[in-house]
Amino acid sequence: MNVLLMAYGTPYRRGEIEAYYTDIRRGRPPTKELLEELEERYRLIGRSPLNEITYAQAVRLEAALNATLPLYPEPLGASPGARVRGPARVYHGTKHWHPFIKEAVQAMAEDGVERAVGVVAAPHYSARSIAEYQEKVEQALEELGRPFEVRYVEHYYDHPGYVQAVAARVGEQVWRLVDPRRALFLFTAHSIPERAAQDGRYQQQVRATAELVARRLGLQHWDTAWQSAGRTPEPWIGPDVNERLEQAAGQGYEEVVVTAVGFPSDHLEVYYDLDHEAQATAQRLGLRLLRTRSLNADPDYVEVLRDVVSRRWAEFR
Ligand code: FEC
């Protein structure tokens, strides 16, 4: 079994931010102002742990797959060395930094991979996320003369294990609330430009995750909101989480639990947009804001990845 686990990617060092931002902007370098603003966001959070978390997810997913494969495809021969690798191989590639998706596809081709499952560390499908990851894989395969076939996991927003993993972490915040029945639970995901969201699929999927979690926990007041809209002039889907906090204060809420249901991992958009910016908004409004911890490379999230990948792999037969 071969898997390509994909995530957004982040610069390893400060000096890489400009090239990373240029890649996000499809080769157009950012203006000095935009670059300085992004550098300031990274400075405020220290650094984004996204690459390390993605690496840990890949390593643990490979271990989980090898530990649970029902049957080895063929008897294992004598191991050529002390290092153990099972028949399941997980490669990882990121959208905007090293190892780029293209580099991962190249490594897979060099290893003689014939078939693989592609999965993204993002549970909801959108034209600006999952679709773009798939395009990058297909483009890399095309450039190499189609050395292998990839089938994709398109979403897992309603996977019972995903819903349970998120609900368990929201539950931890419920214990910290003075009055859970009067608190507002906000479920956020990355905003995308309106013109990429016209079919409503992305919004419906995010809403569905929120509803499933809310139902499981019996939450009385909950809603969805959008975060991290890009610095571009076009309209992005809303309401933005900060606007929704303003509204919540006006509605008389005193406590809000924010859960970034669109992001399994911690990174800039969690540490800056929620822990810094939204927290500042909440404090200004006199709201108590609690942020649900992320899934990262925890066993329950790795188990969701293992399950969705195994099911997709089974469809090759
Ligand atoms: O920790 C880190 O350093 C990386 C955090 C990070 C994640 C992430 C996830 C998503 N994005 C999505 C859409 C867009 C669109 C644009 C865009 C721009 C940026 C910029 C930074 C950035 N994104 Fe991102 N995103 C992260 C970081 N993103 C930095 C550039 C500065 C800015 O605009 O804020 C607009 C550019 C364009 O037109 O392409 C659109 C979506 C996700 C969630 C799914 C996923 O993880 O892939 C959707 C993490």
Side-chain angles (χ1 to χ4, degrees):
M1 182 191 295
N2 303 295
V3 175
L4 173 55
L5 174 68
M6 295 174 277
Y8 204 82
T10 186
Y12 294 91
R13 281 171 280 276
R14 295 271 155 81
E16 297 171 347
I17 296 175
E18 185 169 7
Y20 169 73
Y21 202 173
T22 303
D23 189 80
I24 291 176
R25 292 168 51 86
R26 297 179 172 76
R28 285 179 302 120
T31 61
K32 191 168 167 287
E33 291 70 35
L34 281 174
L35 178 62
E36 281 174 4
E37 195 246 348
L38 183 59
E39 284 174 341
E40 178 59 9
R41 280 191 269 154
Y42 280 109
R43 198 191 60 73
L44 267 160
I45 67 160
R47 75 186 291 275
S48 166
L50 183 57
N51 292 332
E52 285 75 10
I53 292 168
T54 306
Y55 180 77
Q57 287 165 343
V59 168
R60 291 178 189 176
L61 175 58
E62 182 173 291
L65 287 167
N66 280 315
T68 51
L69 277 180
L71 280 177
Y72 285 103
E74 56 195 44
L76 289 177
S79 171
R83 189 162 169 264
V84 178
R85 277 200 89 171
R89 294 279 166 107
V90 178
Y91 298 80
H92 80 289
T94 75
K95 202 174 170 198
H96 295 299
W97 206 240
H98 301 282
F100 283 108
I101 289 170
K102 190 178 169 173
E103 294 166 340
V105 171
Q106 172 87 44
M108 294 168 85
E110 282 163 13
D111 285 356
V113 164
E114 291 173 2
R115 295 177 303 190
V117 171
V119 64
V120 183
H124 308 91
Y125 181 91
S126 91
R128 297 309 303 271
S129 55
I130 310 301
E132 290 184 353
Y133 286 91
Q134 293 177 358
E135 280 160 27
K136 284 189 186 283
V137 176
E138 292 301 314
Q139 197 185 334
L141 287 171
E142 196 60 43
E143 284 170 16
L144 293 170
R146 301 229 155 253
F148 59 93
E149 185 193 346
V150 179
R151 294 195 186 174
Y152 302 95
V153 174
E154 294 228 313
H155 55 71
Y156 43 92
Y157 66 94
D158 56 353
H159 187 287
Y162 186 70
V163 172
Q164 172 55 31
V166 175
R169 286 159 183 77
V170 176
E172 293 169 359
Q173 301 309 315
V174 172
W175 298 335
R176 299 176 59 202
L177 290 167
V178 177
D179 189 349
R181 283 158 308 177
R182 292 185 54 234
L184 176 65
F185 293 82
L186 278 185
F187 296 91
T188 64
H190 203 294
S191 181
I192 57 172
E194 274 178 11
R195 71 190 152 87
Q198 275 166 1
D199 64 2
R201 181 175 172 188
Y202 181 53
Q203 298 94 311
Q204 280 159 14
Q205 292 191 356
V206 172
R207 189 94 194 156
T209 308
E211 189 169 3
L212 288 164
V213 172
R215 232 191 276 151
R216 182 164 298 219
L217 292 171
L219 305 179
Q220 295 185 13
H221 309 284
W222 64 272
D223 202 354
T224 50
W226 304 93
Q227 61 167 96
S228 320
R231 276 70 179 160
T232 64
E234 60 191 328
W236 290 60
I237 55 172
D240 178 79
V241 62
N242 295 284
E243 284 165 33
R244 190 62 188 83
L245 289 173
E246 299 260 0
Q247 203 190 350
Q251 291 169 322
Y253 289 106
E254 290 175 8
E255 294 182 302
V256 181
V257 175
V258 175
T259 306
V261 81
F263 299 130
S265 307
D266 282 328
H267 45 61
L268 181 73
E269 317 294 68
V270 174
Y271 289 162
Y272 182 83
D273 295 338
L274 295 182
D275 292 352
H276 183 77
E277 203 176 60
Q279 189 59 259
T281 302
Q283 280 176 15
R284 175 172 57 76
L285 296 165
L287 286 171
R288 181 165 176 252
L289 187 154
L290 304 177
R291 201 260 298 163
T292 302
R293 80 186 161 91
S294 304
L295 308 180
N296 294 326
D298 287 358
D300 48 0
Y301 178 53
V302 172
E303 172 54 24
V304 173
L305 292 174
R306 189 205 61 75
D307 187 50
V308 293
V309 156
S310 304
R311 285 169 194 271
R312 198 74 177 104
W313 178 259
E315 290 168 22
F316 269 121
R317 297 204 192 108

